[in-house]
């Protein structure tokens, strides 16, 4: 393996709290090794457009507590083409970048995998997504903060639900994964969670109405995954069904949307982002390439891109059972 002297770091896809902590850790761990760090702005789009500057230790000062990403982020259609990736590689060569560290979700790591295959450049991925849907790691950067944000919002919604004897359907992010929905439902004492992993032949709405609404419990909170696999349109779909099929209930919908992405990262997210960022430099020192850094049972692990991207990460059946038992 060629000796590494310069690395590039970028954030891609949806932003997640803790990305700045990861950028900071990557930058400072690389500088500690005597390497040069190039900050790539606006993800793969910035790599194509040469939106690249050198980062120093001072570049990441006072950033660990900030949400979002100081490197900005963007989705790049051009990078999905061979011509776009060729432009990106030209800029990698122009700046003498020997290895690339990509912080993002499934699509971002898939982009790193393709680039590594086509141009034989070592790439290390950090799982930066609030969805917690990447295989091989117990937690992704941003998940814990988003979970706490959702719980805080649901706690406030419950005050109104209780005051007015209403059913609230609260739509939660997570793409095709129900981790945020299921765990925030448990943490907030919600009556039900409707997630893609639990879409069986059972009518989840009828099941919830049957067991969740009782004379002693006229208000309820139901968390619904935004996934297109859930019903035909998330929370709005289920709210409309209640209005038609159970008109005796007063129903409201709250879509939390991008509120879930913002805010200062939690201590947990800052810690795992820092550990993963430092571990990405260790991985490169060891000659590893084309792997995602993860955490399993509080230990750093390295998962090949092919496994991290390919395999599904299911919500444990135990979590579904816990909510069902505790929401009676």
């Amino acid at each position: 393996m060629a000796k590494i002297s310069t690395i590039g770091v970028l954030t891609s896809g949806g932003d997640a709290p803790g990305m700045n902590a990861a950028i900071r850790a990557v930058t400072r761990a690389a500088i500690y090794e005597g390497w040069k760090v190039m900050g790539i702005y606006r993800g793969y789009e910035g790599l194509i457009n040469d939106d690249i500057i050198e980062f120093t230790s001072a570049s990441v000062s006072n950033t660990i507590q900030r949400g979002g990403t100081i490197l900005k982020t963007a989705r790049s259609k051009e990078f999905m083409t061979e011509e776009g990736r060729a432009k990106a590689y030209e800029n990698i060569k122009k700046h003498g970048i020997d290895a690339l560290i990509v912080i993002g979700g499934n699509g971002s790591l898939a982009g790193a995998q393709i680039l590594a295959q086509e141009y034989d450049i070592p790439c290390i991925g950090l799982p930066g997504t609030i969805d917690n849907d990447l295989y091989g790691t117990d937690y992704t950067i941003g998940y814990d903060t988003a979970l706490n944000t959702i719980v805080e919002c649901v706690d406030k919604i419950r005050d109104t639900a209780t005051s007015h004897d209403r059913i609230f359907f609260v739509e939660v992010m997570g793409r095709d994964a129900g981790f945020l929905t299921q765990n925030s439902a448990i943490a907030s004492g919600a009556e039900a969670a409707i997630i893609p992993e639990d879409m069986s032949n059972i009518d989840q709405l009828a099941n919830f109405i049957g067991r969740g609404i009782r004379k002693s419990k006229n208000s309820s909170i139901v968390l619904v995954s935004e996934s297109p696999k859930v019903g035909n349109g998330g929370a709005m779909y289920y709210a409309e069904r209640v209005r038609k099929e159970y008109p005796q209930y007063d129903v409201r919908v709250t879509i939390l949307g991008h509120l879930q992405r913002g805010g200062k990262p939690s201590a947990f997210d800052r810690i795992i982002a820092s550990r993963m960022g430092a571990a990405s430099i260790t991985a490169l020192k060891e000659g590893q390439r084309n792997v995602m850094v993860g955490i399993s049972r509080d230990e750093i692990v390295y998962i090949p891109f092919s496994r991290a991207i390919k395999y599904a990460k299911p919500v444990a059946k135990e979590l579904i059972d816990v909510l069902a038992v505790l929401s009676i």
Side-chain angles (χ1 to χ4, degrees):
M1 177 185 166
K3 189 173 184 296
I4 291 174
S5 61
T6 302
I7 65 159
V9 57
L10 64 83
T11 51
S12 172
D15 64 302
M19 279 185 165
N20 286 327
I23 296 165
R24 173 181 179 270
V26 167
T27 300
R28 292 190 169 176
I31 291 171
Y32 180 83
E33 294 298 327
W35 297 350
K36 188 175 177 181
V37 180
M38 303 305 294
I40 302 160
Y41 283 83
R42 296 171 181 84
Y44 292 118
E45 195 72 4
L47 198 55
I48 291 169
N49 295 326
D50 196 17
D51 197 357
I52 302 169
I53 66 167
E54 183 174 354
F55 261 35
T56 66
S57 184
S59 302
V60 293
S61 293
N62 196 32
T63 61
I64 194 170
Q65 79 281 11
R66 290 169 58 183
T69 163
I70 58 169
L71 283 175
K72 310 292 185 183
T73 184
R75 303 188 190 277
S76 177
K77 289 184 179 179
E78 191 175 0
F79 189 78
M80 296 178 185
T81 67
E82 289 184 12
E83 295 79 10
R85 292 191 294 275
K87 287 182 188 177
Y89 184 63
E90 284 303 312
N91 286 321
I92 287 173
K93 288 195 297 181
K94 174 183 174 182
H95 291 278
I97 294 171
D98 305 306
L100 196 62
I101 294 177
V102 174
I103 307 167
N106 193 289
S108 302
L109 299 191
Q113 182 183 36
I114 293 170
L115 191 68
Q117 288 170 348
E118 291 180 344
Y119 294 101
D120 194 31
I121 179 168
C123 291
I124 305 293
L126 299 185
T129 168
I130 66 170
D131 300 341
N132 199 35
D133 61 346
L134 285 166
Y135 177 85
T137 184
D138 292 341
Y139 304 102
T140 58
I141 297 165
Y143 169 68
D144 183 70
T145 305
L147 188 64
N148 280 285
T149 298
I150 293 164
V151 170
E152 184 180 349
C153 291
V154 174
D155 286 349
K156 293 177 179 179
I157 289 168
R158 187 176 288 282
D159 292 342
T160 293
T162 303
S163 298
H164 293 272
D165 289 342
R166 285 174 177 161
I167 301 173
F168 264 87
F169 287 94
V170 181
E171 188 170 296
V172 174
M173 282 182 170
R175 207 173 61 165
D176 293 330
F179 292 97
L180 278 175
T181 306
Q182 191 69 34
N183 281 313
S184 56
I186 292 171
S188 61
E191 280 64 44
I194 299 177
I195 62 173
E197 293 89 342
D198 196 29
M199 297 304 291
S200 61
N201 292 326
I202 298 171
D203 185 333
Q204 291 198 60
L205 180 64
N207 188 43
F208 155 67
I209 293 290
R211 68 175 172 79
I213 302 291
R214 309 189 309 273
K215 290 180 181 177
S216 62
K217 200 172 191 179
N218 292 321
S219 68
S220 290
I221 304 284
V222 181
L223 269 61
V224 183
S225 173
E226 68 172 357
S227 170
K229 295 179 182 178
V230 173
N232 294 311
M236 293 299 295
Y237 165 77
Y238 286 99
E240 285 304 313
R241 278 196 56 193
V242 170
R243 291 185 182 109
K244 290 176 183 177
E245 299 171 31
Y246 308 95
Q248 68 271 35
Y249 296 120
D250 189 9
V251 62
R252 294 290 187 275
V253 172
T254 297
I255 298 174
L256 296 181
H258 287 81
L259 182 71
Q260 296 158 85
R261 287 197 186 279
K264 293 184 176 182
S266 65
F268 184 81
D269 272 330
R270 298 181 199 193
I271 292 165
I272 66 165
S274 297
R275 290 178 65 189
M276 288 177 176
S280 69
I281 302 304
T282 301
L284 289 174
K285 280 174 56 187
E286 293 174 348
Q288 296 201 59
R289 54 197 292 152
N290 312 334
V291 296
M292 180 190 80
V293 181
I295 288 185
S296 178
R297 300 181 182 180
D298 204 32
E299 295 286 338
I300 290 289
V301 292
Y302 300 102
I303 306 97
F305 282 156
S306 56
R307 293 178 65 83
I309 296 164
K310 179 180 177 182
Y311 292 105
K313 179 180 173 182
V315 170
K317 178 68 163 57
E318 177 214 352
L319 293 174
I320 297 172
D321 293 341
V322 164
L323 181 61
V325 169
L326 300 183
S327 62
I328 60 170

